[in-house]
Amino acid sequence: MIVRIMGEGQVKLADSHFTELNKLDDELLEQMESGDEQGFRQTLGALLDAVRRLGTPLPDDALEPSELILPGPDASLDEVRDMLSDDGLIPG
Amino acid sequence: MSGVMKRMGMIFRAKANKALDRAEDPRETLDYSYQKQLELLQKVRRGVADVATSRKRLELQLNQLQSQSSKLEDQGRKALSLGREDLAREALSRRASLQQQVTDLETQHQTLQGEEEKLTLAAQRLQAKVDAFRTKKETIKATYTAAQAQTRIAESFSGISEEMSDVGLAIQRAEDKTAQLQARAGAIDELLASGALDDQSGLAKDDIQTELDRLSGGTDVELELQRMKAELMGGGSAGKQAIEGGATTPQDQAPQQSPRFDKQ
């Protein structure tokens, strides 16, 4: 599967890692909803590390859509919340 | 539906699909999207240029603050050598608050540099995708009928539109950051222009320097007087020595005195 790290590009990962990432992803959502900024930072960091470690970057000229999209490392809890609650935030 | 990554993926995809649905003929969508991509590329390049401009301005200000800081240090040293500890203390405490500004600006400078790097890379990625999209677009238009093209277009379209959304957000963030920094830079420019960063009176006059000039001015007059006295007394004997053909002529003898004695 393909995962995008916002502001960094796309990474290809074996589907076998999906379970592991999924668990962290659910945790991230919980922390976001409860407003646990510190936990959110930790989990986001762990997710990004895992994706970078397990994946291979796609070439720049690839035109494939990503299945999963991760916020960049400096994204704040509020920013991510805004992106998820209002797709009007994403310009186009 | 759970998880941040999955939701985010869906939002991006929904957005891409919405854009696709707009056109009657999907091949028109290709051209329209390509135009949009080129516009976004322009915007990203402008963004990079703006960040670079802000960064250079910060560098300039940092240099000015640094030189102001070392000037205050010199003033402190001079004040101490003239026995004015109070002035030295004032100069050094001003220097301390300057250093605070310097540290602050250095942090901002690093932030901007990171931003500039990220945007530059984003521009490269987008450029590569736009080129790939153009090639694909022409292939699709040449090879498929409008009906057949639908799926092919959707494939290439979702990839590029996701990139565009991502880059668009990055540009927005960079613009916000630069706007904030520009406002702060303007404030610091005003401070620098006023000559003293913590002089609340707003007078452009450097009072420490004025005081030092007055002090050392007085000292210099004293020194000058002493030097002249010594010259007058010493000059006379040097002249006599020259007439008597003394072999040792002092180095510091005024040269215009020698010919005057030689003529006599």
Side-chain angles (χ1 to χ4, degrees):
Chain A
M1 67 185 155
I2 296 172
V3 180
R4 169 179 293 272
I5 299 175
M6 287 179 74
E8 286 182 28
Q10 293 167 292
V11 170
K12 203 178 183 77
L13 291 136
D15 288 0
S16 54
H17 299 300
F18 192 75
T19 322
E20 184 188 345
L21 294 181
N22 220 7
K23 213 176 91 209
L24 284 169
D25 194 18
D26 290 345
E27 228 170 276
L28 190 67
L29 187 71
E30 259 170 57
Q31 285 155 337
M32 190 194 81
E33 282 171 346
S34 66
D36 175 6
E37 179 83 48
Q38 206 189 338
F40 178 86
R41 289 250 70 80
Q42 260 176 355
T43 310
L44 181 58
L47 255 175
L48 290 167
D49 284 346
V51 170
R52 290 189 192 120
R53 187 167 36 94
L54 304 167
T56 343
L58 274 190
D60 283 355
D61 60 359
L63 285 173
E64 297 178 67
S66 311
E67 193 172 336
L68 305 169
I69 295 181
L70 260 178
D74 55 352
S76 74
L77 193 150
D78 289 336
E79 274 177 320
V80 176
R81 189 183 282 147
D82 285 348
M83 273 192 269
L84 290 177
S85 64
D86 171 24
D87 61 347
L89 184 88
I90 299 171
Chain B
M1 177 183 74
S2 65
V4 172
M5 294 199 290
K6 265 176 282 176
R7 285 195 194 185
M8 201 89 93
M10 288 166 126
I11 287 173
F12 272 74
R13 274 194 296 279
K15 215 182 135 51
N17 291 335
K18 228 190 310 190
L20 256 182
D21 293 340
R22 265 186 233 145
E24 296 270 309
D25 182 344
R27 287 174 297 188
E28 279 173 28
T29 315
L30 287 176
D31 290 328
Y32 172 77
S33 172
Y34 183 65
Q35 282 311 312
K36 282 271 170 226
Q37 289 161 31
L38 293 179
E39 281 167 30
L40 183 58
L41 255 180
Q42 280 301 319
K43 209 174 158 186
V44 175
R45 294 210 178 99
R46 270 202 305 274
V48 175
D50 285 348
V51 172
T53 305
S54 281
R55 176 181 53 79
K56 284 174 193 152
R57 188 175 174 189
L58 265 188
E59 280 164 11
L60 208 68
Q61 290 185 326
L62 265 171
N63 286 340
Q64 286 174 299
L65 287 176
Q66 301 276 27
S67 74
Q68 187 104 346
S69 174
S70 56
K71 184 176 132 191
L72 281 164
E73 194 183 352
D74 292 344
Q75 287 177 336
R77 203 170 284 122
K78 191 166 183 184
L80 261 188
S81 74
L82 293 166
R84 285 289 304 272
E85 197 173 321
D86 59 323
L87 264 189
R89 193 178 298 280
E90 175 63 25
L92 291 178
S93 75
R94 282 186 199 180
R95 182 174 176 265
S97 65
L98 259 190
Q99 285 305 111
Q100 189 63 49
Q101 296 267 13
V102 167
T103 311
D104 196 30
L105 280 193
E106 276 168 348
T107 311
Q108 289 184 35
H109 184 254
Q110 272 174 350
T111 308
L112 270 190
Q113 257 180 329
E115 207 65 35
E116 198 177 341
E117 247 163 68
K118 269 198 290 196
L119 278 184
T120 306
L121 287 171
Q124 280 170 12
R125 276 197 305 272
L126 186 61
Q127 177 72 66
K129 279 191 166 48
V130 170
D131 291 342
F133 185 87
R134 189 188 54 227
T135 310
K136 207 160 178 175
K137 165 173 90 88
E138 292 314 317
T139 309
I140 290 172
K141 279 167 75 174
T143 318
Y144 301 95
T145 63
Q148 289 173 315
Q150 193 74 44
T151 43
R152 306 275 162 186
I153 290 169
E155 280 167 19
S156 51
F157 194 77
S158 49
I160 190 91
S161 74
E162 185 189 298
E163 186 74 35
M164 285 169 74
S165 295
D166 188 5
V167 171
L169 272 173
I171 274 288
Q172 248 179 25
R173 290 182 67 170
E175 279 171 354
D176 291 349
K177 232 174 242 171
T178 12
Q180 278 172 14
L181 285 174
Q182 291 284 17
R184 295 207 46 184
I188 288 185
D189 272 342
E190 278 173 35
L191 282 173
L192 282 166
S194 78
L197 271 134
D198 47 355
D199 180 11
Q200 297 304 321
S201 68
L203 290 172
K205 203 171 157 200
D206 184 344
D207 49 347
I208 294 181
Q209 194 55 48
T210 311
E211 182 66 8
L212 281 176
D213 287 348
R214 197 185 60 76
L215 281 173
S216 58
T219 324
D220 290 349
V221 169
E222 286 302 315
L223 285 172
E224 191 70 9
L225 273 173
Q226 278 177 10
R227 202 179 59 78
M228 280 180 167
K229 278 182 191 166
E231 211 173 77
L232 281 171
M233 290 163 73
S237 60
K240 274 187 195 132
Q241 273 178 350
I243 293 165
E244 288 158 11
T248 50
T249 310
Q251 288 281 332
D252 61 344
Q253 190 195 322
Q256 76 273 17
Q257 285 180 338
S258 311
R260 189 162 56 89
F261 284 115
D262 287 345
K263 277 181 204 151
Q264 280 177 342

